[in-house]
Amino acid sequence: MEKYGIHWFRRDLRIVGNPALYQNIQKHKGRVVGIFFFDSKFLARKDFSHNRFGLFLNTLKELKRDLRNYGGELLVIDALPQEGFKNILNFLSQRPSGLPSMISFNRDYEPFALRRDSKVQKLIHTFTNIELLTNRDHLIIEPHELKKSNGDYYKIYTPFSKIWLKLFNEKHIQERISFSKKFLNQKDKIFRIKWQSLFGKSDKFQDELDLFIKNNNKNLSMTLPEAGFEAALKKLKKFKQNLSKYDQNRNYPFLNATSGLSVYLKNGSISTAFILETLKPSIKSQFLKEIIWREFYYHILYHQPRVEKEAFIEKYKNIKWENSKKLFNAWKSGMTGFPLIDAGMRQLKTTGCLHNRVRMIVASFLTKDMLIDWRWGEEWFMKCLLDGDLAANNGGWQWAASTGCDAQPYFRIFNPTTQSQRFDQKGDYIRKFVPELAYLSDKEIHQPTEENRPKTYPKPIVCHSEQRKKALRIWKKKA
Ligand SMILES: Cc1cc2nc3c(=O)[nH]c(=O)nc-3n(C[C@H](O)[C@H](O)[C@H](O)COP(=O)(O)OP(=O)(O)OC[C@H]3O[C@@H](n4cnc5c(N)ncnc54)[C@H](O)[C@@H]3O)c2cc1C
């Protein structure tokens, strides 16, 4: 039988501009099949989200449909990748097809993924004559490509972004950007093989995707956004019309002025390279800066995987958090008595989305006003967010708690009321998510009083000015 390859999909759930998949297709003239392994231990994680998982599964379904449209196939297996690969490869070695001559995947940088990939690589090397091919996809510039001349990594965003932009303009990186549209508007079939032709009549490896979707759908608490490459493309095209106003409007949560692409970047329905190739933002634009923040946090996580568990800044590892469960519950349920905080927390819980400015404000409130460990907030965000992503979430939380690299200085503490007056001037965002306050005037809505507060809405649960002083004392003692 002719040689063939397997592409292992992970967080690169698309065909368009998928580097490792493309190389595999080229090498095998389209004789490539796709596989996805689901590790059910993942379901038991404390920060597991049925909604985010639902979106992920729907993305896999879209990918499967796209692959089929182009003559290919995706097999979704209920097994750890190590076990799954071992079983499939042992089985294929007994079949007329023989073993694949290549297994490809795009690289991941999370600590768990790095450990998993190294185990899988070892396993694959135990089979002779299988070439293992990996490529860059999730980031434009990978952690090993961007280092100081002394070999150290960058800990401050501004110098990081300067070097990032310099590299970005280099020819080999620009080639990555133009490659991102490969197979867009493809007319002909790309794939020339299906799993069935490798397995013959055996039903040993059943596709579990529909079962996963059926089981998970029982636990969804919201209507999910559309999934997959086409949905991401639609979002991107819409955002393109607003790009020129991004810098001006991005901080106002009621304006819907940001791209909304994070949910698609999370699982690779679309790549940052594709987004930049489509939008061609100016080198000075805030949008490009945000994409670089995303890369920055990945670089930090890669070089300092310990940040997953502890403060980046050593001296802030042992802050004496008060960790009041009562305050934490009020924060989670949007019942703190601070309208903007409550609007944000209710948006998060009911929609799985949260505007970046409000993420910063509610995170600051939890850590500085409530004196609750940022890791509690980080976990709650992961439980709720559809775009929940370790690097950006951890980076964002450590930024707000002033424990991270290049974080908000500890003495700059957001005042939730003045932030509300500044970024939700007319209270439109608050009215949408805290409807019981909707009748208050534009002025009153940011800080209801004893006289105008509805009975169903709580008094402020903490005194901001007192808590601020307390937080300053705590952080200063460590500084
Ligand atoms: C406490 C906290 C937690 C966060 N948790 C996450 C998370 O789990 N997942 C996540 O993707 N982002 C997270 N962010 C970053 C940011 O809030 C979201 O990426 C952004 O709100 C997504 O909306 P958008 O796609 O419309 O962004 P846009 O404003 O359109 O930005 C474009 C893209 O740039 C990236 N980006 C934008 N801002 C940031 C940022 N501050 N840090 C890193 N990348 C950024 C995202 O990939 C985003 O999709 C967090 C921020 C904070 C302060």
PDB file of all heavy atoms in Angstrom, residues 246 258-262 265 287 290-291 293-294 297 354-356 359-360 363 381-382 385 387-389 392-393 396-397, ligand 1:
ATOM      1  N   TYR A 246     -10.983  50.510  16.883  1.00  0.00           N
ATOM      2  CA  TYR A 246     -10.628  49.631  18.003  1.00  0.00           C
ATOM      3  C   TYR A 246      -9.920  50.394  19.128  1.00  0.00           C
ATOM      4  O   TYR A 246     -10.325  50.316  20.293  1.00  0.00           O
ATOM      5  CB  TYR A 246      -9.751  48.486  17.488  1.00  0.00           C
ATOM      6  CG  TYR A 246      -9.281  47.522  18.559  1.00  0.00           C
ATOM      7  CD1 TYR A 246     -10.091  46.479  18.988  1.00  0.00           C
ATOM      8  CD2 TYR A 246      -8.012  47.655  19.139  1.00  0.00           C
ATOM      9  CE1 TYR A 246      -9.661  45.587  19.969  1.00  0.00           C
ATOM     10  CE2 TYR A 246      -7.574  46.778  20.115  1.00  0.00           C
ATOM     11  CZ  TYR A 246      -8.396  45.740  20.525  1.00  0.00           C
ATOM     12  OH  TYR A 246      -7.966  44.864  21.492  1.00  0.00           O
ATOM     13  N   THR A 258     -14.524  45.032  20.438  1.00  0.00           N
ATOM     14  CA  THR A 258     -13.349  44.160  20.285  1.00  0.00           C
ATOM     15  C   THR A 258     -13.700  43.011  19.334  1.00  0.00           C
ATOM     16  O   THR A 258     -14.850  42.853  18.933  1.00  0.00           O
ATOM     17  CB  THR A 258     -12.880  43.618  21.652  1.00  0.00           C
ATOM     18  OG1 THR A 258     -13.903  42.788  22.189  1.00  0.00           O
ATOM     19  CG2 THR A 258     -12.578  44.747  22.629  1.00  0.00           C
ATOM     20  N   SER A 259     -12.700  42.219  18.999  1.00  0.00           N
ATOM     21  CA  SER A 259     -12.904  41.244  17.909  1.00  0.00           C
ATOM     22  C   SER A 259     -13.777  40.060  18.299  1.00  0.00           C
ATOM     23  O   SER A 259     -14.409  39.447  17.445  1.00  0.00           O
ATOM     24  CB  SER A 259     -11.545  40.728  17.436  1.00  0.00           C
ATOM     25  OG  SER A 259     -10.965  39.905  18.448  1.00  0.00           O
ATOM     26  N   GLY A 260     -13.763  39.679  19.577  1.00  0.00           N
ATOM     27  CA  GLY A 260     -14.495  38.469  19.984  1.00  0.00           C
ATOM     28  C   GLY A 260     -13.853  37.204  19.421  1.00  0.00           C
ATOM     29  O   GLY A 260     -14.481  36.142  19.341  1.00  0.00           O
ATOM     30  N   LEU A 261     -12.572  37.287  19.060  1.00  0.00           N
ATOM     31  CA  LEU A 261     -11.918  36.137  18.420  1.00  0.00           C
ATOM     32  C   LEU A 261     -11.251  35.173  19.406  1.00  0.00           C
ATOM     33  O   LEU A 261     -10.810  34.092  19.006  1.00  0.00           O
ATOM     34  CB  LEU A 261     -10.886  36.638  17.403  1.00  0.00           C
ATOM     35  CG  LEU A 261     -11.504  37.196  16.114  1.00  0.00           C
ATOM     36  CD1 LEU A 261     -10.484  37.986  15.318  1.00  0.00           C
ATOM     37  CD2 LEU A 261     -12.088  36.069  15.254  1.00  0.00           C
ATOM     38  N   SER A 262     -11.173  35.574  20.681  1.00  0.00           N
ATOM     39  CA  SER A 262     -10.424  34.730  21.624  1.00  0.00           C
ATOM     40  C   SER A 262     -10.984  33.305  21.714  1.00  0.00           C
ATOM     41  O   SER A 262     -10.225  32.354  21.852  1.00  0.00           O
ATOM     42  CB  SER A 262     -10.381  35.369  23.004  1.00  0.00           C
ATOM     43  OG  SER A 262     -11.680  35.682  23.437  1.00  0.00           O
ATOM     44  N   LEU A 265      -9.451  31.536  18.810  1.00  0.00           N
ATOM     45  CA  LEU A 265      -7.997  31.349  18.904  1.00  0.00           C
ATOM     46  C   LEU A 265      -7.667  30.226  19.875  1.00  0.00           C
ATOM     47  O   LEU A 265      -6.702  29.490  19.705  1.00  0.00           O
ATOM     48  CB  LEU A 265      -7.337  32.644  19.387  1.00  0.00           C
ATOM     49  CG  LEU A 265      -7.221  33.740  18.334  1.00  0.00           C
ATOM     50  CD1 LEU A 265      -6.792  35.054  18.976  1.00  0.00           C
ATOM     51  CD2 LEU A 265      -6.218  33.338  17.253  1.00  0.00           C
ATOM     52  N   PHE A 287      -4.385  46.851  18.584  1.00  0.00           N
ATOM     53  CA  PHE A 287      -4.805  45.472  18.318  1.00  0.00           C
ATOM     54  C   PHE A 287      -3.584  44.549  18.226  1.00  0.00           C
ATOM     55  O   PHE A 287      -3.547  43.473  18.819  1.00  0.00           O
ATOM     56  CB  PHE A 287      -5.635  45.391  17.028  1.00  0.00           C
ATOM     57  CG  PHE A 287      -6.164  44.010  16.785  1.00  0.00           C
ATOM     58  CD1 PHE A 287      -7.273  43.564  17.491  1.00  0.00           C
ATOM     59  CD2 PHE A 287      -5.540  43.142  15.900  1.00  0.00           C
ATOM     60  CE1 PHE A 287      -7.763  42.269  17.308  1.00  0.00           C
ATOM     61  CE2 PHE A 287      -6.020  41.846  15.717  1.00  0.00           C
ATOM     62  CZ  PHE A 287      -7.131  41.417  16.420  1.00  0.00           C
ATOM     63  N   GLU A 290      -2.173  43.813  21.549  1.00  0.00           N
ATOM     64  CA  GLU A 290      -2.900  42.793  22.319  1.00  0.00           C
ATOM     65  C   GLU A 290      -2.498  41.383  21.877  1.00  0.00           C
ATOM     66  O   GLU A 290      -2.356  40.474  22.690  1.00  0.00           O
ATOM     67  CB  GLU A 290      -4.419  42.965  22.179  1.00  0.00           C
ATOM     68  CG  GLU A 290      -4.967  44.285  22.689  1.00  0.00           C
ATOM     69  CD  GLU A 290      -4.651  44.573  24.157  1.00  0.00           C
ATOM     70  OE1 GLU A 290      -4.325  43.644  24.906  1.00  0.00           O
ATOM     71  OE2 GLU A 290      -4.720  45.752  24.539  1.00  0.00           O
ATOM     72  N   ILE A 291      -2.310  41.229  20.575  1.00  0.00           N
ATOM     73  CA  ILE A 291      -1.867  39.930  20.072  1.00  0.00           C
ATOM     74  C   ILE A 291      -0.484  39.609  20.668  1.00  0.00           C
ATOM     75  O   ILE A 291      -0.175  38.467  21.022  1.00  0.00           O
ATOM     76  CB  ILE A 291      -1.805  39.918  18.511  1.00  0.00           C
ATOM     77  CG1 ILE A 291      -3.212  40.131  17.910  1.00  0.00           C
ATOM     78  CG2 ILE A 291      -1.139  38.659  17.964  1.00  0.00           C
ATOM     79  CD1 ILE A 291      -4.180  38.985  18.057  1.00  0.00           C
ATOM     80  N   TRP A 293       0.586  40.705  23.569  1.00  0.00           N
ATOM     81  CA  TRP A 293       0.380  40.326  24.981  1.00  0.00           C
ATOM     82  C   TRP A 293       0.079  38.827  25.068  1.00  0.00           C
ATOM     83  O   TRP A 293       0.549  38.137  25.964  1.00  0.00           O
ATOM     84  CB  TRP A 293      -0.796  41.103  25.604  1.00  0.00           C
ATOM     85  CG  TRP A 293      -0.389  42.392  26.255  1.00  0.00           C
ATOM     86  CD1 TRP A 293      -0.638  43.643  25.775  1.00  0.00           C
ATOM     87  CD2 TRP A 293       0.335  42.565  27.486  1.00  0.00           C
ATOM     88  NE1 TRP A 293      -0.109  44.582  26.636  1.00  0.00           N
ATOM     89  CE2 TRP A 293       0.486  43.957  27.690  1.00  0.00           C
ATOM     90  CE3 TRP A 293       0.874  41.689  28.434  1.00  0.00           C
ATOM     91  CZ2 TRP A 293       1.141  44.482  28.809  1.00  0.00           C
ATOM     92  CZ3 TRP A 293       1.528  42.217  29.547  1.00  0.00           C
ATOM     93  CH2 TRP A 293       1.661  43.595  29.722  1.00  0.00           C
ATOM     94  N   ARG A 294      -0.743  38.380  24.140  1.00  0.00           N
ATOM     95  CA  ARG A 294      -1.085  36.950  24.139  1.00  0.00           C
ATOM     96  C   ARG A 294       0.190  36.118  24.016  1.00  0.00           C
ATOM     97  O   ARG A 294       0.420  35.170  24.755  1.00  0.00           O
ATOM     98  CB  ARG A 294      -2.040  36.656  22.970  1.00  0.00           C
ATOM     99  CG  ARG A 294      -2.403  35.198  22.796  1.00  0.00           C
ATOM    100  CD  ARG A 294      -3.364  35.040  21.616  1.00  0.00           C
ATOM    101  NE  ARG A 294      -3.729  33.647  21.416  1.00  0.00           N
ATOM    102  CZ  ARG A 294      -3.018  32.793  20.690  1.00  0.00           C
ATOM    103  NH1 ARG A 294      -1.900  33.186  20.097  1.00  0.00           N
ATOM    104  NH2 ARG A 294      -3.411  31.539  20.560  1.00  0.00           N
ATOM    105  N   TYR A 297       2.443  36.227  27.275  1.00  0.00           N
ATOM    106  CA  TYR A 297       2.037  35.348  28.377  1.00  0.00           C
ATOM    107  C   TYR A 297       2.367  33.880  28.087  1.00  0.00           C
ATOM    108  O   TYR A 297       2.674  33.122  29.001  1.00  0.00           O
ATOM    109  CB  TYR A 297       0.553  35.518  28.689  1.00  0.00           C
ATOM    110  CG  TYR A 297       0.246  36.801  29.432  1.00  0.00           C
ATOM    111  CD1 TYR A 297      -0.883  37.557  29.127  1.00  0.00           C
ATOM    112  CD2 TYR A 297       1.091  37.269  30.448  1.00  0.00           C
ATOM    113  CE1 TYR A 297      -1.167  38.734  29.818  1.00  0.00           C
ATOM    114  CE2 TYR A 297       0.815  38.445  31.126  1.00  0.00           C
ATOM    115  CZ  TYR A 297      -0.310  39.173  30.806  1.00  0.00           C
ATOM    116  OH  TYR A 297      -0.580  40.332  31.490  1.00  0.00           O
ATOM    117  N   LEU A 354     -16.448  37.840  28.851  1.00  0.00           N
ATOM    118  CA  LEU A 354     -16.261  39.012  29.706  1.00  0.00           C
ATOM    119  C   LEU A 354     -15.282  39.958  29.018  1.00  0.00           C
ATOM    120  O   LEU A 354     -14.221  39.534  28.548  1.00  0.00           O
ATOM    121  CB  LEU A 354     -15.733  38.595  31.093  1.00  0.00           C
ATOM    122  CG  LEU A 354     -15.658  39.703  32.138  1.00  0.00           C
ATOM    123  CD1 LEU A 354     -17.021  40.332  32.387  1.00  0.00           C
ATOM    124  CD2 LEU A 354     -15.121  39.163  33.459  1.00  0.00           C
ATOM    125  N   HIS A 355     -15.696  41.206  28.972  1.00  0.00           N
ATOM    126  CA  HIS A 355     -14.893  42.243  28.333  1.00  0.00           C
ATOM    127  C   HIS A 355     -13.561  42.419  29.083  1.00  0.00           C
ATOM    128  O   HIS A 355     -13.530  42.345  30.318  1.00  0.00           O
ATOM    129  CB  HIS A 355     -15.707  43.539  28.364  1.00  0.00           C
ATOM    130  CG  HIS A 355     -15.085  44.640  27.606  1.00  0.00           C
ATOM    131  ND1 HIS A 355     -14.140  45.473  28.161  1.00  0.00           N
ATOM    132  CD2 HIS A 355     -15.247  45.037  26.327  1.00  0.00           C
ATOM    133  CE1 HIS A 355     -13.763  46.345  27.248  1.00  0.00           C
ATOM    134  NE2 HIS A 355     -14.417  46.105  26.128  1.00  0.00           N
ATOM    135  N   ASN A 356     -12.488  42.691  28.335  1.00  0.00           N
ATOM    136  CA  ASN A 356     -11.165  42.764  28.954  1.00  0.00           C
ATOM    137  C   ASN A 356     -11.078  43.804  30.070  1.00  0.00           C
ATOM    138  O   ASN A 356     -10.533  43.531  31.143  1.00  0.00           O
ATOM    139  CB  ASN A 356     -10.106  43.062  27.888  1.00  0.00           C
ATOM    140  CG  ASN A 356      -8.722  43.148  28.491  1.00  0.00           C
ATOM    141  OD1 ASN A 356      -8.247  42.195  29.096  1.00  0.00           O
ATOM    142  ND2 ASN A 356      -8.080  44.300  28.381  1.00  0.00           N
ATOM    143  N   ARG A 359     -12.726  42.407  32.999  1.00  0.00           N
ATOM    144  CA  ARG A 359     -11.904  41.336  33.608  1.00  0.00           C
ATOM    145  C   ARG A 359     -10.882  41.954  34.553  1.00  0.00           C
ATOM    146  O   ARG A 359     -10.658  41.474  35.656  1.00  0.00           O
ATOM    147  CB  ARG A 359     -11.145  40.544  32.518  1.00  0.00           C
ATOM    148  CG  ARG A 359     -12.030  39.660  31.686  1.00  0.00           C
ATOM    149  CD  ARG A 359     -11.224  38.751  30.764  1.00  0.00           C
ATOM    150  NE  ARG A 359     -12.022  38.445  29.576  1.00  0.00           N
ATOM    151  CZ  ARG A 359     -11.932  37.354  28.856  1.00  0.00           C
ATOM    152  NH1 ARG A 359     -11.056  36.426  29.159  1.00  0.00           N
ATOM    153  NH2 ARG A 359     -12.688  37.163  27.803  1.00  0.00           N
ATOM    154  N   MET A 360     -10.243  43.037  34.090  1.00  0.00           N
ATOM    155  CA  MET A 360      -9.200  43.663  34.915  1.00  0.00           C
ATOM    156  C   MET A 360      -9.801  44.224  36.201  1.00  0.00           C
ATOM    157  O   MET A 360      -9.227  44.090  37.278  1.00  0.00           O
ATOM    158  CB  MET A 360      -8.512  44.795  34.133  1.00  0.00           C
ATOM    159  CG  MET A 360      -7.763  44.297  32.924  1.00  0.00           C
ATOM    160  SD  MET A 360      -6.649  45.500  32.185  1.00  0.00           S
ATOM    161  CE  MET A 360      -7.644  46.862  31.806  1.00  0.00           C
ATOM    162  N   ALA A 363     -11.028  41.430  38.618  1.00  0.00           N
ATOM    163  CA  ALA A 363      -9.876  40.698  39.170  1.00  0.00           C
ATOM    164  C   ALA A 363      -9.181  41.542  40.229  1.00  0.00           C
ATOM    165  O   ALA A 363      -8.765  41.042  41.281  1.00  0.00           O
ATOM    166  CB  ALA A 363      -8.910  40.327  38.049  1.00  0.00           C
ATOM    167  N   PHE A 381     -12.777  31.862  36.770  1.00  0.00           N
ATOM    168  CA  PHE A 381     -12.785  32.311  35.374  1.00  0.00           C
ATOM    169  C   PHE A 381     -12.716  31.095  34.440  1.00  0.00           C
ATOM    170  O   PHE A 381     -13.436  31.015  33.451  1.00  0.00           O
ATOM    171  CB  PHE A 381     -11.589  33.239  35.108  1.00  0.00           C
ATOM    172  CG  PHE A 381     -11.908  34.707  35.221  1.00  0.00           C
ATOM    173  CD1 PHE A 381     -12.816  35.168  36.154  1.00  0.00           C
ATOM    174  CD2 PHE A 381     -11.284  35.648  34.399  1.00  0.00           C
ATOM    175  CE1 PHE A 381     -13.111  36.534  36.261  1.00  0.00           C
ATOM    176  CE2 PHE A 381     -11.569  36.995  34.487  1.00  0.00           C
ATOM    177  CZ  PHE A 381     -12.475  37.444  35.419  1.00  0.00           C
ATOM    178  N   MET A 382     -11.825  30.168  34.762  1.00  0.00           N
ATOM    179  CA  MET A 382     -11.690  28.991  33.891  1.00  0.00           C
ATOM    180  C   MET A 382     -12.979  28.183  33.867  1.00  0.00           C
ATOM    181  O   MET A 382     -13.335  27.605  32.844  1.00  0.00           O
ATOM    182  CB  MET A 382     -10.528  28.097  34.339  1.00  0.00           C
ATOM    183  CG  MET A 382      -9.170  28.599  33.932  1.00  0.00           C
ATOM    184  SD  MET A 382      -8.996  28.941  32.164  1.00  0.00           S
ATOM    185  CE  MET A 382      -8.337  27.427  31.567  1.00  0.00           C
ATOM    186  N   LEU A 385     -15.331  30.853  31.596  1.00  0.00           N
ATOM    187  CA  LEU A 385     -14.999  31.471  30.312  1.00  0.00           C
ATOM    188  C   LEU A 385     -15.017  30.497  29.135  1.00  0.00           C
ATOM    189  O   LEU A 385     -14.428  29.412  29.211  1.00  0.00           O
ATOM    190  CB  LEU A 385     -13.586  32.071  30.366  1.00  0.00           C
ATOM    191  CG  LEU A 385     -13.388  33.405  31.071  1.00  0.00           C
ATOM    192  CD1 LEU A 385     -11.898  33.719  31.169  1.00  0.00           C
ATOM    193  CD2 LEU A 385     -14.117  34.528  30.333  1.00  0.00           C
ATOM    194  N   ASP A 387     -13.478  31.291  26.450  1.00  0.00           N
ATOM    195  CA  ASP A 387     -12.132  31.423  25.878  1.00  0.00           C
ATOM    196  C   ASP A 387     -11.049  31.062  26.910  1.00  0.00           C
ATOM    197  O   ASP A 387      -9.864  31.336  26.685  1.00  0.00           O
ATOM    198  CB  ASP A 387     -11.899  32.846  25.330  1.00  0.00           C
ATOM    199  CG  ASP A 387     -11.800  33.922  26.420  1.00  0.00           C
ATOM    200  OD1 ASP A 387     -11.800  33.574  27.617  1.00  0.00           O
ATOM    201  OD2 ASP A 387     -11.722  35.116  26.076  1.00  0.00           O
ATOM    202  N   GLY A 388     -11.458  30.474  28.045  1.00  0.00           N
ATOM    203  CA  GLY A 388     -10.510  30.191  29.131  1.00  0.00           C
ATOM    204  C   GLY A 388      -9.237  29.528  28.614  1.00  0.00           C
ATOM    205  O   GLY A 388      -9.276  28.476  28.007  1.00  0.00           O
ATOM    206  N   ASP A 389      -8.120  30.174  28.886  1.00  0.00           N
ATOM    207  CA  ASP A 389      -6.845  29.720  28.340  1.00  0.00           C
ATOM    208  C   ASP A 389      -5.766  29.948  29.391  1.00  0.00           C
ATOM    209  O   ASP A 389      -5.637  31.075  29.895  1.00  0.00           O
ATOM    210  CB  ASP A 389      -6.544  30.544  27.084  1.00  0.00           C
ATOM    211  CG  ASP A 389      -5.404  29.953  26.297  1.00  0.00           C
ATOM    212  OD1 ASP A 389      -5.484  28.772  25.951  1.00  0.00           O
ATOM    213  OD2 ASP A 389      -4.427  30.682  26.044  1.00  0.00           O
ATOM    214  N   ALA A 392      -3.109  33.151  29.071  1.00  0.00           N
ATOM    215  CA  ALA A 392      -3.690  34.498  29.151  1.00  0.00           C
ATOM    216  C   ALA A 392      -4.430  34.697  30.470  1.00  0.00           C
ATOM    217  O   ALA A 392      -4.394  35.787  31.055  1.00  0.00           O
ATOM    218  CB  ALA A 392      -4.639  34.734  27.985  1.00  0.00           C
ATOM    219  N   ASN A 393      -5.089  33.652  30.955  1.00  0.00           N
ATOM    220  CA  ASN A 393      -5.844  33.783  32.191  1.00  0.00           C
ATOM    221  C   ASN A 393      -4.901  33.966  33.373  1.00  0.00           C
ATOM    222  O   ASN A 393      -5.065  34.863  34.195  1.00  0.00           O
ATOM    223  CB  ASN A 393      -6.730  32.540  32.374  1.00  0.00           C
ATOM    224  CG  ASN A 393      -7.815  32.762  33.412  1.00  0.00           C
ATOM    225  OD1 ASN A 393      -8.374  33.856  33.531  1.00  0.00           O
ATOM    226  ND2 ASN A 393      -8.115  31.736  34.180  1.00  0.00           N
ATOM    227  N   GLY A 396      -3.290  37.362  33.076  1.00  0.00           N
ATOM    228  CA  GLY A 396      -4.234  38.422  33.427  1.00  0.00           C
ATOM    229  C   GLY A 396      -4.455  38.495  34.929  1.00  0.00           C
ATOM    230  O   GLY A 396      -4.483  39.582  35.515  1.00  0.00           O
ATOM    231  N   TRP A 397      -4.581  37.340  35.564  1.00  0.00           N
ATOM    232  CA  TRP A 397      -4.809  37.331  37.019  1.00  0.00           C
ATOM    233  C   TRP A 397      -3.588  37.810  37.779  1.00  0.00           C
ATOM    234  O   TRP A 397      -3.684  38.575  38.729  1.00  0.00           O
ATOM    235  CB  TRP A 397      -5.260  35.936  37.496  1.00  0.00           C
ATOM    236  CG  TRP A 397      -6.747  35.843  37.376  1.00  0.00           C
ATOM    237  CD1 TRP A 397      -7.463  35.292  36.346  1.00  0.00           C
ATOM    238  CD2 TRP A 397      -7.716  36.396  38.279  1.00  0.00           C
ATOM    239  NE1 TRP A 397      -8.809  35.466  36.561  1.00  0.00           N
ATOM    240  CE2 TRP A 397      -8.993  36.136  37.745  1.00  0.00           C
ATOM    241  CE3 TRP A 397      -7.635  37.085  39.476  1.00  0.00           C
ATOM    242  CZ2 TRP A 397     -10.168  36.542  38.378  1.00  0.00           C
ATOM    243  CZ3 TRP A 397      -8.800  37.496  40.114  1.00  0.00           C
ATOM    244  CH2 TRP A 397     -10.048  37.223  39.562  1.00  0.00           C
TER     245      TRP A 397
HETATM  246  C1  LIG B   1      -8.043  38.542  34.685  1.00  0.00           C
HETATM  247  C2  LIG B   1      -7.954  38.270  33.186  1.00  0.00           C
HETATM  248  C3  LIG B   1      -8.194  36.985  32.699  1.00  0.00           C
HETATM  249  C4  LIG B   1      -8.108  36.724  31.313  1.00  0.00           C
HETATM  250  N1  LIG B   1      -8.353  35.455  30.863  1.00  0.00           N
HETATM  251  C5  LIG B   1      -8.223  35.183  29.543  1.00  0.00           C
HETATM  252  C6  LIG B   1      -8.445  33.865  29.057  1.00  0.00           C
HETATM  253  O1  LIG B   1      -8.714  32.921  29.818  1.00  0.00           O
HETATM  254  N2  LIG B   1      -8.355  33.661  27.709  1.00  0.00           N
HETATM  255  C7  LIG B   1      -8.044  34.673  26.844  1.00  0.00           C
HETATM  256  O2  LIG B   1      -7.975  34.422  25.633  1.00  0.00           O
HETATM  257  N3  LIG B   1      -7.803  35.916  27.281  1.00  0.00           N
HETATM  258  C8  LIG B   1      -7.894  36.216  28.592  1.00  0.00           C
HETATM  259  N4  LIG B   1      -7.675  37.494  29.030  1.00  0.00           N
HETATM  260  C9  LIG B   1      -7.234  38.513  28.065  1.00  0.00           C
HETATM  261  C10 LIG B   1      -8.372  39.318  27.402  1.00  0.00           C
HETATM  262  O3  LIG B   1      -9.270  39.777  28.370  1.00  0.00           O
HETATM  263  C11 LIG B   1      -9.138  38.517  26.363  1.00  0.00           C
HETATM  264  O4  LIG B   1      -8.230  37.909  25.466  1.00  0.00           O
HETATM  265  C12 LIG B   1     -10.057  39.416  25.537  1.00  0.00           C
HETATM  266  O5  LIG B   1     -10.976  40.055  26.393  1.00  0.00           O
HETATM  267  C13 LIG B   1     -10.784  38.574  24.509  1.00  0.00           C
HETATM  268  O6  LIG B   1     -11.684  39.369  23.787  1.00  0.00           O
HETATM  269  P1  LIG B   1     -11.417  39.689  22.256  1.00  0.00           P
HETATM  270  O7  LIG B   1     -11.105  38.449  21.507  1.00  0.00           O
HETATM  271  O8  LIG B   1     -12.580  40.500  21.794  1.00  0.00           O
HETATM  272  O9  LIG B   1     -10.108  40.575  22.356  1.00  0.00           O
HETATM  273  P2  LIG B   1      -9.508  41.681  21.372  1.00  0.00           P
HETATM  274  O10 LIG B   1      -9.446  42.948  22.122  1.00  0.00           O
HETATM  275  O11 LIG B   1     -10.186  41.671  20.078  1.00  0.00           O
HETATM  276  O12 LIG B   1      -7.990  41.202  21.211  1.00  0.00           O
HETATM  277  C14 LIG B   1      -7.571  40.321  20.172  1.00  0.00           C
HETATM  278  C15 LIG B   1      -6.893  39.131  20.756  1.00  0.00           C
HETATM  279  O13 LIG B   1      -5.717  39.510  21.458  1.00  0.00           O
HETATM  280  C16 LIG B   1      -5.543  38.666  22.598  1.00  0.00           C
HETATM  281  N5  LIG B   1      -5.601  39.500  23.804  1.00  0.00           N
HETATM  282  C17 LIG B   1      -6.295  40.643  23.982  1.00  0.00           C
HETATM  283  N6  LIG B   1      -6.055  41.144  25.198  1.00  0.00           N
HETATM  284  C18 LIG B   1      -5.214  40.303  25.811  1.00  0.00           C
HETATM  285  C19 LIG B   1      -4.591  40.275  27.091  1.00  0.00           C
HETATM  286  N7  LIG B   1      -4.779  41.244  27.988  1.00  0.00           N
HETATM  287  N8  LIG B   1      -3.795  39.252  27.392  1.00  0.00           N
HETATM  288  C20 LIG B   1      -3.564  38.267  26.505  1.00  0.00           C
HETATM  289  N9  LIG B   1      -4.112  38.239  25.273  1.00  0.00           N
HETATM  290  C21 LIG B   1      -4.920  39.246  24.927  1.00  0.00           C
HETATM  291  C22 LIG B   1      -6.678  37.678  22.603  1.00  0.00           C
HETATM  292  O14 LIG B   1      -6.226  36.498  21.983  1.00  0.00           O
HETATM  293  C23 LIG B   1      -7.738  38.381  21.767  1.00  0.00           C
HETATM  294  O15 LIG B   1      -8.629  37.514  21.144  1.00  0.00           O
HETATM  295  C24 LIG B   1      -7.761  37.775  30.417  1.00  0.00           C
HETATM  296  C25 LIG B   1      -7.535  39.063  30.922  1.00  0.00           C
HETATM  297  C26 LIG B   1      -7.631  39.316  32.283  1.00  0.00           C
HETATM  298  C27 LIG B   1      -7.374  40.704  32.782  1.00  0.00           C
END
